[in-house]
Amino acid sequence: MMNNLSNTIEATADTLQKFMVENAPVRGEFVEISSTWKQVQARSDYPAAVKTLLGEMLSAAALLSANLKFNGVIVMQIHGDGPVRLLVVECDSELRLRATAKMVEGAEIVDGANLQQLVNVEGNGRFAIVLDPKDKMPGQQAYQGIVPLDGDSIATVIENYMQRSEQLDTKLWLAADSSVARGLLLQKLPTEGGIDAPADDLETWNRLSMLGATLQTEELLNTNIETLMQRLFWEETIRVFPPQHPQFHCSCTREKVGNMLKILGHEEINAALEELGHLAVHCDFCGESYDFDKIDCAQLFVSDAPAETVIPAPNTRH
Protein backbone atom coordinates (compact mmCIF):
# COMPACT_ATOMS: atom_id res chain seq x y z
CA MET A 1 0.00 0.00 0.00
CA MET A 2 1.66 3.22 -1.19
CA ASN A 3 1.13 6.38 0.88
CA ASN A 4 0.28 9.27 -1.48
CA LEU A 5 3.21 8.35 -3.67
CA SER A 6 2.15 10.26 -6.76
CA ASN A 7 1.70 13.43 -4.71
CA THR A 8 5.10 13.13 -3.04
CA ILE A 9 7.50 12.35 -5.86
CA GLU A 10 8.12 15.43 -7.95
CA ALA A 11 8.70 15.23 -11.69
CA THR A 12 12.25 16.48 -12.01
CA ALA A 13 15.36 15.35 -13.85
CA ASP A 14 17.48 14.64 -10.76
CA THR A 15 15.68 13.17 -7.77
CA LEU A 16 16.52 11.15 -4.70
CA GLN A 17 13.51 9.60 -3.01
CA LYS A 18 13.72 8.16 0.50
CA PHE A 19 11.16 5.75 1.91
CA MET A 20 10.58 3.55 4.95
CA VAL A 21 8.75 0.26 5.20
CA GLU A 22 6.12 0.61 7.93
CA ASN A 23 6.41 -1.75 10.90
CA ALA A 24 9.77 -3.12 9.74
CA PRO A 25 13.36 -1.83 10.23
CA VAL A 26 13.99 -1.36 6.52
CA ARG A 27 14.71 1.89 4.70
CA GLY A 28 15.18 2.51 1.05
CA GLU A 29 16.06 5.09 -1.56
CA PHE A 30 15.65 5.52 -5.28
CA VAL A 31 17.82 7.95 -7.22
CA GLU A 32 17.58 9.25 -10.76
CA ILE A 33 20.40 11.48 -12.05
CA SER A 34 20.24 12.92 -15.54
CA SER A 35 21.23 16.59 -15.72
CA THR A 36 24.09 16.20 -13.24
CA TRP A 37 25.34 13.10 -15.03
CA LYS A 38 25.40 14.88 -18.38
CA GLN A 39 27.39 17.74 -16.83
CA VAL A 40 29.96 15.24 -15.55
CA GLN A 41 30.27 13.66 -19.00
CA ALA A 42 30.62 17.04 -20.72
CA ARG A 43 34.12 17.39 -19.24
CA SER A 44 35.57 14.20 -20.76
CA ASP A 45 34.90 11.76 -23.59
CA TYR A 46 34.69 8.52 -21.64
CA PRO A 47 34.31 5.12 -23.35
CA ALA A 48 30.92 3.47 -22.85
CA ALA A 49 32.20 0.92 -20.31
CA VAL A 50 33.79 3.69 -18.21
CA LYS A 51 30.57 5.71 -18.35
CA THR A 52 28.71 2.74 -16.93
CA LEU A 53 31.08 2.40 -13.95
CA LEU A 54 31.31 6.12 -13.23
CA GLY A 55 27.54 6.61 -13.55
CA GLU A 56 26.87 3.72 -11.20
CA MET A 57 29.32 5.19 -8.68
CA LEU A 58 27.58 8.56 -9.01
CA SER A 59 24.24 6.98 -8.11
CA ALA A 60 25.78 5.00 -5.26
CA ALA A 61 27.47 8.08 -3.76
CA ALA A 62 24.17 9.97 -3.72
CA LEU A 63 22.37 7.02 -2.14
CA LEU A 64 24.97 6.60 0.62
CA SER A 65 25.41 10.32 1.23
CA ALA A 66 21.69 10.81 1.81
CA ASN A 67 21.96 8.79 5.03
CA LEU A 68 25.02 10.55 6.46
CA LYS A 69 24.47 12.43 9.71
CA PHE A 70 27.23 15.01 9.35
CA ASN A 71 27.95 18.14 7.37
CA GLY A 72 30.69 17.09 5.01
CA VAL A 73 31.69 15.14 1.93
CA ILE A 74 31.73 11.47 1.06
CA VAL A 75 34.46 10.56 -1.42
CA MET A 76 34.30 7.20 -3.18
CA GLN A 77 37.46 6.07 -4.96
CA ILE A 78 38.43 3.00 -6.94
CA HIS A 79 42.16 2.66 -7.57
CA GLY A 80 42.96 0.18 -10.30
CA ASP A 81 45.80 -1.54 -12.13
CA GLY A 82 44.00 -1.98 -15.45
CA PRO A 83 43.28 0.44 -18.29
CA VAL A 84 41.25 2.53 -15.80
CA ARG A 85 43.50 3.70 -12.97
CA LEU A 86 41.14 5.85 -10.94
CA LEU A 87 37.42 6.50 -10.52
CA VAL A 88 36.40 9.25 -8.09
CA VAL A 89 32.98 10.52 -7.05
CA GLU A 90 32.32 13.14 -4.39
CA CYS A 91 28.97 13.98 -2.84
CA ASP A 92 28.33 16.41 -0.01
CA SER A 93 25.50 16.59 2.53
CA GLU A 94 23.49 18.77 0.14
CA LEU A 95 23.73 16.09 -2.58
CA ARG A 96 26.09 18.18 -4.69
CA LEU A 97 28.10 15.83 -6.88
CA ARG A 98 31.22 15.76 -9.00
CA ALA A 99 33.06 12.83 -10.61
CA THR A 100 36.02 11.96 -12.79
CA ALA A 101 37.95 8.99 -14.16
CA LYS A 102 41.59 8.56 -15.16
CA MET A 103 42.61 6.07 -17.83
CA VAL A 104 45.93 4.83 -19.18
CA GLU A 105 46.75 6.96 -22.21
CA GLY A 106 46.08 5.07 -25.42
CA ALA A 107 44.41 2.14 -23.63
CA GLU A 108 41.80 0.29 -25.68
CA ILE A 109 38.59 -0.17 -23.72
CA VAL A 110 35.97 -2.38 -25.30
CA ASP A 111 32.24 -1.89 -24.82
CA GLY A 112 30.87 -4.20 -22.17
CA ALA A 113 34.12 -4.55 -20.23
CA ASN A 114 33.34 -5.27 -16.59
CA LEU A 115 34.73 -3.85 -13.37
CA GLN A 116 37.46 -6.46 -12.93
CA GLN A 117 38.62 -6.14 -16.55
CA LEU A 118 38.83 -2.36 -16.30
CA VAL A 119 40.43 -1.80 -12.92
CA ASN A 120 41.57 -5.08 -11.36
CA VAL A 121 43.58 -6.91 -14.01
CA GLU A 122 46.46 -7.77 -11.65
CA GLY A 123 44.31 -8.08 -8.53
CA ASN A 124 45.64 -4.89 -6.94
CA GLY A 125 42.45 -2.83 -7.21
CA ARG A 126 41.21 -1.06 -4.08
CA PHE A 127 37.94 0.55 -3.06
CA ALA A 128 38.02 3.44 -0.60
CA ILE A 129 35.43 5.62 1.08
CA VAL A 130 36.51 8.90 2.71
CA LEU A 131 34.18 10.74 5.09
CA ASP A 132 35.47 14.30 5.36
CA PRO A 133 33.58 16.55 7.83
CA LYS A 134 33.35 20.18 6.80
CA ASP A 135 33.86 21.59 10.31
CA LYS A 136 36.52 19.43 11.91
CA MET A 137 37.24 19.48 15.62
CA PRO A 138 40.86 20.21 16.64
CA GLY A 139 42.97 17.22 15.66
CA GLN A 140 40.12 15.53 13.81
CA GLN A 141 41.01 13.85 10.53
CA ALA A 142 38.90 12.58 7.68
CA TYR A 143 37.87 8.94 8.10
CA GLN A 144 39.08 6.59 5.40
CA GLY A 145 38.17 2.95 4.87
CA ILE A 146 40.01 0.89 2.24
CA VAL A 147 39.16 -2.65 1.16
CA PRO A 148 40.18 -4.92 -1.73
CA LEU A 149 38.08 -4.68 -4.87
CA ASP A 150 35.88 -7.62 -3.93
CA GLY A 151 33.10 -8.08 -6.46
CA ASP A 152 32.22 -8.05 -10.14
CA SER A 153 30.15 -4.86 -9.99
CA ILE A 154 30.11 -1.48 -8.23
CA ALA A 155 26.99 -2.58 -6.34
CA THR A 156 28.60 -5.77 -5.02
CA VAL A 157 31.79 -3.98 -3.98
CA ILE A 158 29.82 -1.44 -1.95
CA GLU A 159 27.55 -4.09 -0.42
CA ASN A 160 30.61 -5.99 0.76
CA TYR A 161 32.18 -2.81 2.11
CA MET A 162 29.04 -1.88 4.07
CA GLN A 163 28.81 -5.35 5.57
CA ARG A 164 32.47 -5.52 6.58
CA SER A 165 33.07 -1.94 7.67
CA GLU A 166 29.67 -0.78 8.89
CA GLN A 167 27.98 -4.11 9.75
CA LEU A 168 24.91 -2.99 7.80
CA ASP A 169 22.98 -5.32 5.52
CA THR A 170 22.75 -3.27 2.31
CA LYS A 171 21.46 -4.11 -1.14
CA LEU A 172 22.16 -1.97 -4.19
CA TRP A 173 20.93 -2.07 -7.77
CA LEU A 174 22.67 0.39 -10.09
CA ALA A 175 22.56 1.18 -13.80
CA ALA A 176 23.92 3.93 -16.04
CA ASP A 177 24.25 4.84 -19.68
CA SER A 178 25.06 8.13 -21.42
CA SER A 179 21.63 9.59 -20.59
CA VAL A 180 20.84 8.65 -17.00
CA ALA A 181 22.19 7.02 -13.85
CA ARG A 182 19.69 5.33 -11.56
CA GLY A 183 19.84 3.25 -8.43
CA LEU A 184 17.91 1.57 -5.64
CA LEU A 185 19.24 1.07 -2.11
CA LEU A 186 17.67 -1.12 0.57
CA GLN A 187 19.14 -1.23 4.05
CA LYS A 188 18.18 -3.28 7.09
CA LEU A 189 18.44 -1.05 10.13
CA PRO A 190 20.32 -2.43 13.14
CA THR A 191 18.28 -3.65 16.10
CA GLU A 192 18.67 -1.98 19.49
CA GLY A 193 21.16 -3.56 21.84
CA GLY A 194 22.46 -5.92 19.18
CA ILE A 195 19.65 -8.42 19.75
CA ASP A 196 18.54 -10.69 16.94
CA ALA A 197 15.88 -9.25 14.67
CA PRO A 198 12.39 -10.76 15.00
CA ALA A 199 11.51 -13.40 12.43
CA ASP A 200 8.91 -11.13 10.85
CA ASP A 201 11.53 -8.42 10.26
CA LEU A 202 13.89 -10.90 8.63
CA GLU A 203 11.07 -12.16 6.45
CA THR A 204 10.28 -8.61 5.34
CA TRP A 205 13.95 -7.91 4.58
CA ASN A 206 14.31 -11.08 2.57
CA ARG A 207 11.10 -10.40 0.66
CA LEU A 208 12.10 -6.85 -0.24
CA SER A 209 15.57 -7.99 -1.25
CA MET A 210 14.03 -10.59 -3.54
CA LEU A 211 11.76 -7.95 -5.08
CA GLY A 212 14.74 -5.69 -5.72
CA ALA A 213 16.62 -8.58 -7.29
CA THR A 214 13.94 -8.84 -9.98
CA LEU A 215 15.09 -5.48 -11.39
CA GLN A 216 16.80 -5.80 -14.76
CA THR A 217 19.33 -3.25 -16.00
CA GLU A 218 17.15 -2.13 -18.91
CA GLU A 219 14.14 -1.77 -16.64
CA LEU A 220 16.12 0.39 -14.19
CA LEU A 221 17.48 2.56 -17.00
CA ASN A 222 14.14 3.16 -18.70
CA THR A 223 11.66 3.45 -15.83
CA ASN A 224 11.08 6.48 -13.61
CA ILE A 225 11.13 6.37 -9.81
CA GLU A 226 7.39 6.48 -9.26
CA THR A 227 6.74 3.61 -11.64
CA LEU A 228 9.56 1.50 -10.21
CA MET A 229 8.37 1.98 -6.65
CA GLN A 230 4.80 1.08 -7.48
CA ARG A 231 5.87 -1.89 -9.59
CA LEU A 232 8.14 -3.36 -6.93
CA PHE A 233 6.45 -2.50 -3.65
CA TRP A 234 2.75 -2.15 -4.44
CA GLU A 235 1.86 -4.69 -1.73
CA GLU A 236 3.94 -2.97 0.97
CA THR A 237 2.94 -0.17 3.34
CA ILE A 238 5.56 2.47 2.60
CA ARG A 239 6.08 5.93 4.03
CA VAL A 240 7.56 8.29 1.43
CA PHE A 241 9.56 11.39 2.40
CA PRO A 242 9.92 14.70 0.54
CA PRO A 243 12.29 14.20 -2.39
CA GLN A 244 15.78 15.67 -2.57
CA HIS A 245 17.47 16.91 -5.71
CA PRO A 246 21.11 16.12 -6.56
CA GLN A 247 23.02 18.65 -8.62
CA PHE A 248 26.47 19.12 -10.12
CA HIS A 249 28.90 21.25 -8.12
CA CYS A 250 32.67 21.50 -8.17
CA SER A 251 34.33 22.79 -5.01
CA CYS A 252 37.63 23.74 -6.63
CA THR A 253 38.83 27.32 -6.07
CA ARG A 254 42.04 29.23 -6.73
CA GLU A 255 42.68 29.28 -2.98
CA LYS A 256 42.43 25.48 -2.71
CA VAL A 257 44.71 25.01 -5.69
CA GLY A 258 47.20 27.40 -4.09
CA ASN A 259 47.07 25.37 -0.88
CA MET A 260 47.75 22.22 -2.88
CA LEU A 261 50.78 23.87 -4.47
CA LYS A 262 52.05 24.95 -1.05
CA ILE A 263 52.08 21.31 0.03
CA LEU A 264 54.63 20.63 -2.72
CA GLY A 265 57.01 23.08 -1.04
CA HIS A 266 59.39 25.85 -2.18
CA GLU A 267 61.97 23.59 -3.78
CA GLU A 268 59.62 21.59 -6.01
CA ILE A 269 57.61 24.68 -7.01
CA ASN A 270 60.77 26.61 -7.94
CA ALA A 271 62.12 23.68 -9.96
CA ALA A 272 58.85 23.46 -11.89
CA LEU A 273 58.88 27.20 -12.54
CA GLU A 274 62.43 27.06 -13.85
CA GLU A 275 61.41 24.36 -16.30
CA LEU A 276 57.96 25.63 -17.33
CA GLY A 277 57.97 29.36 -16.55
CA HIS A 278 54.52 29.07 -14.95
CA LEU A 279 52.20 26.42 -13.50
CA ALA A 280 48.85 25.62 -15.06
CA VAL A 281 46.60 23.55 -12.82
CA HIS A 282 43.62 21.87 -14.44
CA CYS A 283 40.66 20.55 -12.44
CA ASP A 284 39.64 17.14 -13.75
CA PHE A 285 36.15 17.51 -12.27
CA CYS A 286 34.94 20.72 -13.90
CA GLY A 287 37.62 21.63 -16.46
CA GLU A 288 38.54 24.94 -14.79
CA SER A 289 42.17 26.00 -15.21
CA TYR A 290 44.24 28.05 -12.75
CA ASP A 291 47.48 29.70 -13.85
CA PHE A 292 50.27 30.59 -11.39
CA ASP A 293 53.31 32.59 -12.50
CA LYS A 294 56.46 33.22 -10.45
CA ILE A 295 54.90 36.13 -8.55
CA ASP A 296 51.76 34.13 -7.76
CA CYS A 297 53.84 31.23 -6.45
CA ALA A 298 56.02 33.51 -4.33
CA GLN A 299 52.92 34.99 -2.73
CA LEU A 300 51.72 31.52 -1.71
CA PHE A 301 54.52 31.32 0.83
CA VAL A 302 54.18 34.82 2.25
CA SER A 303 51.46 33.74 4.68
CA ASP A 304 52.25 31.32 7.47
CA ALA A 305 48.75 29.86 7.29
CA PRO A 306 48.73 26.05 7.03
CA ALA A 307 47.98 24.50 3.67
CA GLU A 308 44.69 22.75 3.15
CA THR A 309 44.64 19.21 1.78
CA VAL A 310 42.73 18.81 -1.46
CA ILE A 311 41.23 15.37 -2.19
CA PRO A 312 42.11 14.42 -4.87
CA ALA A 313 44.67 16.93 -6.14
CA PRO A 314 44.09 18.28 -9.66
CA ASN A 315 46.58 17.71 -12.47
CA THR A 316 49.43 20.16 -12.94
CA ARG A 317 50.07 20.77 -16.62
CA HIS A 318 52.16 23.10 -18.75
Side-chain angles (χ1 to χ4, degrees), residues 15 33 35 38 65 96 112-113 115 160 182 239 255 297:
T15 299
I33 304 174
S35 176
K38 289 174 183 176
S65 181
R96 299 184 302 179
L115 176 66
N160 291 336
R182 287 195 178 97
R239 177 157 47 102
E255 180 182 5
C297 291

Side-chain angles (χ1 to χ4, degrees), residues 55 93 203 211 302:
S93 49
E203 181 181 346
L211 289 171
V302 171

Side-chain angles (χ1 to χ4, degrees), residues 17-19 41 72 77 89 99 102 106 116 145 151 162 192 206 208 238 253 261 286 295 300:
Q17 180 64 63
K18 291 184 178 182
F19 62 92
Q41 294 177 78
Q77 300 177 340
V89 177
K102 292 180 181 292
Q116 296 295 328
M162 295 300 292
E192 294 184 5
N206 291 333
L208 294 174
I238 288 178
T253 64
L261 293 175
C286 69
I295 295 176
L300 292 176

Side-chain angles (χ1 to χ4, degrees), residues 43-305:
R43 274 74 186 177
S44 297
D45 184 19
Y46 297 121
V50 177
K51 287 181 183 179
T52 297
L53 291 186
L54 195 60
E56 289 179 354
M57 281 183 66
L58 196 75
S59 294
L63 291 167
L64 294 182
S65 181
N67 287 320
L68 294 180
K69 305 300 182 184
F70 78 109
N71 181 21
V73 178
I74 180 172
V75 183
M76 294 174 50
Q77 300 177 340
I78 290 180
H79 300 266
D81 57 18
V84 177
R85 293 305 170 91
L86 180 66
L87 297 159
V88 183
V89 177
E90 295 185 10
C91 184
D92 67 15
S93 49
E94 299 179 43
L95 293 184
R96 299 184 302 179
L97 292 146
R98 64 179 189 169
T100 189
K102 292 180 181 292
M103 296 166 286
V104 175
E105 187 174 354
E108 183 177 348
I109 297 177
V110 300
D111 293 349
N114 63 31
L115 176 66
Q116 296 295 328
Q117 293 169 331
L118 291 176
V119 299
N120 203 30
V121 175
E122 302 296 332
N124 297 315
R126 293 291 183 268
F127 174 72
I129 287 185
V130 179
L131 301 180
D132 191 13
K134 182 178 180 180
D135 301 314
K136 295 183 179 68
M137 300 293 289
Q140 183 181 11
Q141 301 293 322
Y143 164 81
Q144 179 171 283
I146 303 176
V147 296
L149 204 59
D150 183 13
D152 293 328
S153 68
I154 298 293
T156 304
V157 168
I158 296 174
E159 288 173 359
N160 291 336
Y161 173 87
M162 295 300 292
Q163 183 61 54
R164 292 176 180 176
S165 300
E166 308 297 332
Q167 287 77 55
L168 285 175
D169 288 321
T170 303
K171 294 293 184 181
L172 279 166
W173 295 270
L174 305 169
D177 58 18
S178 59
S179 299
V180 68
R182 287 195 178 97
L184 164 63
L185 175 146
L186 293 175
Q187 200 164 68
K188 182 160 67 73
L189 301 177
T191 55
E192 294 184 5
I195 60 174
D196 293 336
D200 288 348
D201 290 349
L202 291 175
E203 181 181 346
T204 300
W205 169 250
N206 291 333
R207 182 178 68 253
L208 294 174
S209 298
M210 291 174 61
L211 289 171
T214 65
L215 268 177
Q216 300 297 312
T217 298
E218 288 302 313
E219 181 182 17
L220 190 52
L221 284 174
N222 297 303
T223 313
N224 62 40
I225 290 176
E226 180 179 348
T227 302
L228 284 173
M229 188 175 288
Q230 290 179 338
R231 185 179 295 174
L232 290 175
F233 307 128
W234 65 275
E235 291 186 307
E236 309 296 329
T237 301
I238 288 178
R239 177 157 47 102
V240 182
F241 298 92
Q244 298 171 267
H245 303 297
Q247 59 182 305
F248 179 83
H249 172 75
C250 188
S251 58
C252 75
T253 64
R254 186 174 180 84
E255 180 182 5
K256 288 184 177 181
V257 173
N259 283 331
M260 182 272 292
L261 293 175
K262 286 172 66 176
I263 294 173
L264 299 178
H266 276 285
E267 185 174 343
E268 188 165 347
I269 291 294
N270 288 336
L273 287 172
E274 285 297 321
E275 178 183 356
L276 302 174
H278 71 106
L279 301 180
V281 182
H282 174 82
C283 178
D284 290 328
F285 291 103
C286 69
E288 185 70 37
S289 292
Y290 300 91
D291 192 82
F292 289 79
D293 60 20
K294 293 183 178 180
I295 295 176
D296 295 326
C297 291
Q299 290 176 339
L300 292 176
F301 297 95
V302 171
S303 172
D304 292 328

